[in-house]
Amino acid sequence: MSNPYYEASYLTNEQFIFEGAKFFNLNAHHRFGIFANYTASVKTGTEFGYSVNTQFTEQVFRRKAYRKEDYTSMVKLMYQYSTDRLTLNATPFFGHQDIKERKLYPVSGQKFVYNYFGISADLQQRLNENQVLSFSPYFIKRMVNRSISALSYTANAAINDWILQDYYFQAAGISTFGASLRYDVKLEKLPAFFVSTQYQSQKMLQKNNHLISIRLGITF
């Protein structure tokens, strides 16, 4: 009996990750640290072709048709101030990313080089034994150093528009800032719960996107 299922394509993903960190305690209240990360990811796509001109479906070719390389490096600095009731963390960071994407049938490809910088902070204040207030602001900036496009198009206008919109997104600088506020409380005879709210604003392609959320949850 012939196999009714045929593999059309598959994707392999190879990754290499290197991380290192070093921390220094200045005294009981102050702590510094540095963190470095490097990630290399290579995805390779293989596609298959079949012939139906014979009595049985036969595989006529197998070829590597897609490759995406993503190399990312990141350096973070950390400062922490802590007391019995207050903890403050501040983490500025800097990053670089190089993305190359190629397709052979038909021939097309694109390349993007980004630089990142930003900072995140976290302030946690213990009000008493049963209540904690947390505030976490952040800012992230993506800058495009290079964007190269050699895209191929199809006979479908909707697909072509999707391809262009995806390229415009990847070739755009992005600025993101926001903050979250969280209140944790443990009442007598009730499970510990929290209430949190978040606001985020993101500017991309000369447009602003805003997010506002409120959450209520239980901690265990």
Side-chain angles (χ1 to χ4, degrees):
M1 182 178 178
S2 61
N3 181 9
Y5 303 103
Y6 300 94
E7 190 173 22
S9 63
Y10 70 84
L11 186 70
T12 61
N13 187 11
E14 299 177 342
Q15 279 192 325
F16 171 79
I17 300 175
F18 172 80
E19 294 181 340
K22 180 66 175 179
F23 298 96
F24 309 89
N25 293 320
L26 187 60
N27 53 43
H29 300 297
H30 301 277
R31 191 182 192 200
F32 297 89
I34 182 170
F35 172 83
N37 169 274
Y38 175 78
T39 302
S41 172
V42 178
K43 296 180 180 180
T44 305
T46 302
E47 63 182 17
F48 302 87
Y50 299 90
S51 172
V52 293
N53 296 326
T54 58
Q55 183 178 1
F56 300 101
T57 301
E58 296 178 335
Q59 179 180 309
V60 295
F61 68 81
R62 170 181 173 176
R63 61 194 183 191
K64 292 183 178 180
Y66 174 79
R67 183 178 176 88
K68 182 178 182 180
E69 303 172 46
D70 188 338
Y71 305 100
T72 304
S73 55
M74 186 74 66
V75 176
K76 297 181 180 181
L77 305 176
M78 187 214 66
Y79 168 72
Q80 182 182 79
Y81 172 79
S82 60
T83 63
D84 292 338
R85 289 186 172 272
L86 176 68
T87 301
L88 170 65
N89 292 287
T91 308
F93 59 88
F94 311 89
H96 179 82
Q97 185 177 27
D98 192 329
I99 298 176
K100 302 175 184 177
E101 189 174 21
R102 300 187 296 275
K103 192 175 187 300
L104 298 181
Y105 307 98
V107 177
S108 63
Q110 51 190 1
K111 177 179 180 178
F112 304 97
V113 180
Y114 306 116
N115 280 339
Y116 297 87
F117 72 89
I119 186 170
S120 62
D122 182 69
L123 176 65
Q124 188 175 91
Q125 174 70 58
R126 180 173 294 277
L127 305 177
N128 53 46
E129 293 301 319
N130 300 320
Q131 301 179 70
V132 177
L133 187 65
S134 303
F135 178 64
S136 303
Y138 56 90
F139 171 77
I140 305 169
K141 175 71 174 180
R142 183 178 86 173
M143 298 176 295
V144 183
N145 282 2
R146 182 180 300 176
S147 61
I148 300 174
S149 171
L151 301 173
S152 60
Y153 298 99
T154 70
N156 189 308
I159 293 178
N160 292 338
D161 183 66
W162 177 84
I163 293 173
L164 278 176
Q165 291 300 322
D166 179 73
Y167 171 75
Y168 293 152
F169 167 76
Q170 296 192 73
I174 301 176
S175 298
T176 304
F177 71 90
S180 64
L181 183 65
R182 173 166 165 160
Y183 173 69
D184 289 79
V185 61
K186 176 66 175 73
L187 301 177
E188 188 176 354
K189 298 181 181 181
L190 290 176
F193 68 92
F194 69 88
V195 179
S196 69
T197 181
Q198 180 185 5
Y199 171 77
Q200 177 176 291
S201 178
Q202 187 175 75
K203 185 174 183 180
M204 174 183 59
L205 297 174
Q206 306 303 319
K207 296 181 180 179
N208 291 310
N209 298 298
H210 303 283
L211 168 69
I212 299 175
S213 66
I214 299 176
R215 291 176 290 177
L216 174 65
I218 298 175
T219 56
F220 298 93

